[in-house]
Amino acid sequence: VKRGPRVHPLPEAPGAEPAIRFSHAGVDYDIDSYMKAFNVSGLLAIKNGQIVLERYGLGRKPDDRWTSFSVAKSMTATLVGAAIKDGYIKSENEPVTTYIPELKGSAYEGVTVRHLVTMTSGVKWNEDYTDPNSDVARAGLEPVKQGGANPIVTYMARLPREAAPGSKFVYKTGETDLAGILVSRATKKTLANYLSEKIWAPYGMERDAIWVRDTAGHERGGCCMSMTLRDYGRIG
């Protein structure tokens, strides 16, 4: 995800760093002991566009990237909104199958873009990270078939329905993966390029970001962007 020529400034706030202390479960913490106890890689607090607290741990430095895992979902959802504003997606109420026709006839028939982004499709899904047979574990391992659909689309198309669209929330990484594929189909751009065009370059991120791709080479809409701590702060 390419940055642009200008960096949006994050100046340090005037005055001393706040002395933060608290107790939990009978243990007293300050910032240093908290970060050490919980293996915190970076801690950043911004108020009114100024940095009031910035610390690093585990040997990290300000120019190091750190992988977000599901924070990427918020970036994908933001790009859905950008694609609606840009006219690539007609509205949040458009059927998902308009943009991913391989899902026609599956449990995603009748599911809208809004259902997908809010994880209320009614499609059955198991997000148990400790279960090697869960959907979240298996979807990313779907083999790529030559000339076929995206492997995540192929996996999601086989899932059964358990509720009416819009009636039940279930956390589903695979659905934000689908939302990312939908954005790419609608814009005819990779997620990385569209994110660079809409946010990374014009807002002024300080470093290129990295976005992990699936087995077919498409960015995982539901996971795994890597960026600096300050660029996370700029997103916030």
Side-chain angles (χ1 to χ4, degrees), residues 118-192:
T118 58
M119 302 179 187
T120 57
S121 66
V123 176
K124 191 174 182 180
W125 175 268
N126 179 354
E127 186 87 10
D128 185 350
Y129 304 118
T130 66
D131 180 0
N133 292 314
S134 67
D135 295 307
V136 73
R138 293 165 57 196
L141 301 177
E142 185 76 11
V144 180
K145 297 178 181 178
Q146 189 171 2
N150 179 284
I152 290 178
V153 174
T154 301
Y155 185 90
M156 304 295 281
R158 297 198 299 264
L159 297 174
R161 180 181 295 285
E162 66 173 353
S167 66
K168 182 179 181 180
F169 167 79
V170 177
Y171 190 87
K172 306 184 186 84
T173 290
E175 294 206 331
T176 318
D177 287 332
L178 283 182
I181 292 166
L182 189 150
V183 169
S184 289
R185 296 281 185 87
T187 62
K188 296 180 172 55
K189 301 175 183 180
T190 67
L191 286 183

Side-chain angles (χ1 to χ4, degrees), residues 2-226:
K2 294 293 184 183
R3 52 155 285 188
R6 179 188 62 86
V7 175
H8 182 91
L10 282 180
E12 292 186 8
E17 179 183 281
I20 299 173
R21 295 180 176 86
F22 67 98
S23 297
H24 177 70
V27 179
D28 295 328
Y29 294 99
D30 59 15
I31 294 171
D32 290 333
S33 61
Y34 167 78
M35 292 182 68
K36 183 176 180 180
F38 296 98
N39 295 318
V40 177
S41 169
L43 182 63
L44 180 71
I46 297 174
K47 182 179 181 180
N48 298 328
Q50 296 180 322
I51 294 174
V52 296
L53 174 67
E54 183 176 18
R55 295 284 190 89
Y56 294 89
L58 307 180
R60 311 294 295 189
K61 301 183 293 297
D63 59 349
D64 288 337
R65 299 183 185 92
W66 189 258
T67 300
S68 67
F69 291 89
S70 288
V71 172
K73 291 181 172 68
S74 295
M75 297 308 305
T76 299
T78 301
L79 292 181
V80 170
I84 291 172
K85 184 176 181 181
D86 288 345
Y88 294 116
I89 299 172
K90 290 182 181 179
S91 82
E92 62 184 29
N93 298 314
E94 277 286 288
V96 170
T97 51
T98 299
Y99 304 93
I100 311 178
E102 301 97 310
L103 294 175
K104 289 181 178 179
S106 75
Y108 284 94
E109 193 79 58
V111 170
T112 67
V113 173
R114 181 177 179 82
H115 293 145
L116 201 63
V117 174
T118 58
M119 302 179 187
T120 57
S121 66
V123 176
K124 191 174 182 180
W125 175 268
N126 179 354
E127 186 87 10
D128 185 350
Y129 304 118
T130 66
D131 180 0
N133 292 314
S134 67
D135 295 307
V136 73
R138 293 165 57 196
L141 301 177
E142 185 76 11
V144 180
K145 297 178 181 178
Q146 189 171 2
N150 179 284
I152 290 178
V153 174
T154 301
Y155 185 90
M156 304 295 281
R158 297 198 299 264
L159 297 174
R161 180 181 295 285
E162 66 173 353
S167 66
K168 182 179 181 180
F169 167 79
V170 177
Y171 190 87
K172 306 184 186 84
T173 290
E175 294 206 331
T176 318
D177 287 332
L178 283 182
I181 292 166
L182 189 150
V183 169
S184 289
R185 296 281 185 87
T187 62
K188 296 180 172 55
K189 301 175 183 180
T190 67
L191 286 183
N193 286 346
Y194 193 48
L195 180 58
S196 174
E197 173 189 322
K198 298 304 296 183
I199 297 174
W200 231 251
Y203 187 76
M205 299 302 181
E206 69 181 29
R207 289 205 70 191
D208 295 346
I210 306 297
W211 204 333
V212 167
R213 296 185 294 187
D214 62 27
T215 54
H218 189 282
E219 297 92 339
R220 290 289 303 267
C223 184
C224 310
M225 282 190 68
S226 186

